[in-house]
């Protein structure tokens, strides 16, 4: 069952990147504080566009940002299929 969000996303500009939401921009700022390299919406996968590609020492991670305290089953299914 999909989570229904009660607040609309606010597009936000941070470091010249237009994020779909303020939450995503906040995470980008957090990655910057940690001095982690990141790319926003780096590519399309089948049924899923990851919010970030965070680059690490030999290990990159795809990151999905959601305003929730528990993972949504539909989102997890999309990610696993991709």
């Amino acid at each position: 069952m999909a989570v229904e969000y009660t607040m609309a996303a606010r597009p936000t500009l941070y470091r010249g990147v237009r994020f779909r939401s303020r939450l995503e921009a906040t995470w980008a700022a957090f990655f910057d504080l940690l001095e982690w390299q990141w790319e926003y919406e780096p590519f399309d996968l089948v049924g899923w566009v990851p919010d970030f590609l965070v680059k690490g020492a030999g290990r990159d991670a795809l990151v999905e940002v959601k305003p929730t305290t528990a993972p949504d089953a539909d989102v997890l299914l999309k990610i696993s299929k991709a």
Side-chain angles (χ1 to χ4, degrees), residues 4-59:
E4 290 187 34
Y5 301 108
T6 57
M7 294 176 61
R10 276 199 170 146
T12 302
L13 188 65
Y14 171 71
R15 288 187 52 203
V17 177
R18 185 150 186 87
F19 292 90
R20 294 177 192 265
S21 71
R22 188 175 289 175
L23 180 63
E24 292 172 341
T26 300
W27 275 98
F30 177 70
F31 296 150
D32 285 343
L33 285 172
L34 295 175
E35 298 182 356
W36 292 357
Q37 294 181 355
W38 53 268
E39 292 178 33
Y40 180 61
E41 294 188 341
F43 43 75
D44 291 350
L45 297 171
V46 177
W48 177 48
V49 178
D51 292 326
F52 293 94
L53 171 65
V54 177
K55 298 181 177 191
R59 298 196 131 198

